[in-house]
Amino acid sequence: MEVHDVVIVGAGIAGLATAIALKRVGVKALVLEKSEGLRATGAAIGLHPNAWLALEALGVVHKLTTTTYPPLRKYCEDIPHDPEMIKKEVISNFAKNFPTSYLRVVQHSDLSTVTWAPLLFRFPWDVILGNLSKGNITVAGDAMHPMTPDLGQGGCSALEDAVVLGRHIGNLIIKNKKLVAGDQVAEALERYVKERKWRVAKLIVGAYLAGWVQQDGSGWFMKFLRDSIFYRHFSSLMSNDQLYDCGKLPCVSSSNNELDNDPRKS
Ligand SMILES: Cc1cc2nc3c(=O)[nH]c(=O)nc-3n(C[C@H](O)[C@H](O)[C@H](O)COP(=O)(O)OP(=O)(O)OC[C@H]3O[C@@H](n4cnc5c(N)ncnc54)[C@H](O)[C@@H]3O)c2cc1C
């Protein structure tokens, strides 16, 4: 039976990217996924430059630049929904002040393309002050920093998480010539959390503010806030976040990498 050093729960973008990052530093991970098969939720994922830098660090960027996109597919597994109800809700509540041409698009949209997924959110202070690792266990991606989708950074920052986590584990392997489960891994995970928490808390705040100014009404105050303050000053700060470079993975040679996870030997 194959022996794994790490178990990753969830084969989303965070889990899969972390498995790759760990593999690059010589750590074998077993990825567990509760869903039985691949599925599509939503239409697409936008990857900002920070995500491409992370993908480059993971060594997979060349695979994605040649990808062609499959046709959109409706998927809803766990959450029962009625597309007709969603359409009515969109028209009568969310989009009621939109120009009629926009409403016509909603009215004529193909119901088979409607998808529904719950939005998750964690307050930034819970990320900064909360416990994001415990012993040899930590979180990444939405499990660490669920945010509103308005900056399109949830998946991008999950890729950054993977690189940073892989780097701290890789550095530990270089230092000790092997990976030994125990206090040092726990400390490496704490360093990972420390490096990530301010970065992702800032993204949570930015995404929330971006959503708020864009969606919260069309009164004069909101218009002023959106057009004269947010787009003029704040959005350039946000675009710096999209250029964030999470760094590289360390080079772990196979002689560095005599894995030893048996605590009895430590
Ligand atoms: C409308 C919308 C638009 C978005 N647009 C963008 C965008 O343009 N760019 C971007 O970067 N991000 C975007 N995001 C955010 C992005 O989709 C998420 O941040 C990202 O998919 C999170 O990845 P994840 O791997 O952390 O979590 P998930 O994708 O949720 O993956 C978690 C996986 O774990 C599995 N799982 C859960 N519990 C268990 C368990 N107990 N055992 C085993 N498996 C389990 C689940 O089945 C799932 O496959 C958007 C989000 C929304 C809602």
Side-chain angles (χ1 to χ4, degrees):
M1 198 179 73
E2 203 178 345
V3 178
H4 296 92
D5 311 299
V6 170
V7 173
I8 295 172
V9 180
I13 193 166
L16 295 178
T18 303
I20 295 172
L22 291 175
K23 189 173 176 208
R24 295 270 180 251
V25 297
V27 177
K28 277 189 197 151
L30 174 67
V31 182
L32 303 176
E33 170 55 53
K34 73 173 177 184
S35 289
E36 280 171 21
L38 280 176
R39 68 224 193 269
T41 302
I45 187 161
L47 296 178
H48 295 285
N50 60 317
W52 289 101
L53 288 168
L55 289 167
E56 201 177 8
L58 294 170
V60 294
V61 89
H62 61 287
K63 300 199 180 203
L64 290 166
T65 44
T66 54
T67 300
T68 53
Y69 297 95
L72 298 184
R73 209 153 49 91
K74 163 187 163 267
Y75 176 79
C76 182
E77 192 181 57
D78 301 328
I79 312 139
H81 74 262
D82 171 0
E84 199 60 64
M85 183 273 289
I86 295 174
K87 202 193 241 186
K88 268 196 204 130
E89 182 77 357
V90 169
I91 292 171
S92 54
N93 285 325
F94 302 118
K96 64 180 174 205
N97 296 325
F98 281 23
T100 42
S101 53
Y102 284 39
L103 288 177
R104 271 205 297 277
V105 171
V106 179
Q107 268 154 354
H108 292 104
S109 59
D110 175 3
L111 288 182
S112 69
T113 63
V114 173
T115 63
W116 182 264
L119 272 188
L120 301 172
F121 176 78
R122 178 162 290 154
F123 289 110
W125 47 88
D126 285 341
V127 171
I128 292 165
L129 302 173
N131 289 329
L132 299 175
S133 71
K134 186 176 179 187
N136 289 346
I137 302 168
T138 192
V139 279
D142 276 9
M144 184 193 230
H145 44 72
M147 62 185 82
T148 51
D150 308 272
L151 286 184
Q153 276 292 347
C156 300
S157 55
L159 292 169
E160 293 177 7
D161 295 341
V163 174
V164 175
L165 183 54
R167 188 170 60 244
H168 285 289
I169 295 294
N171 286 342
L172 188 63
I173 294 172
I174 292 170
K175 187 172 148 218
N176 291 342
K177 306 232 178 307
K178 58 189 177 184
L179 183 67
V180 183
D183 290 350
Q184 292 204 8
V185 172
E187 283 161 23
L189 296 185
E190 279 168 21
R191 286 193 289 276
Y192 150 73
V193 167
K194 195 170 167 205
E195 185 172 337
R196 294 304 293 152
K197 63 184 179 184
W198 287 98
R199 159 83 180 143
V200 295
K202 195 173 166 209
L203 290 175
I204 291 174
V205 174
Y208 186 87
L209 285 178
W212 179 60
V213 295
Q214 287 173 89
Q215 294 165 28
D216 230 28
S218 52
W220 71 266
F221 178 69
M222 223 46 203
K223 253 181 124 184
F224 168 75
L225 204 62
R226 184 169 50 234
D227 301 341
S228 305
I229 311 262
F230 188 83
Y231 285 131
R232 208 164 283 173
H233 304 292
F234 211 68
S235 56
S236 61
L237 281 179
M238 287 291 122
S239 55
N240 286 343
D241 279 328
Q242 297 176 358
L243 300 174
Y244 180 87
D245 185 353
C246 63
K248 303 269 176 255
L249 287 169
C251 215
V252 181
S253 71
S254 47
S255 59
N256 271 139
N257 192 14
E258 178 200 319
L259 292 167
D260 183 355
N261 281 343
D262 187 345
R264 288 166 303 183
K265 293 188 199 162
S266 62

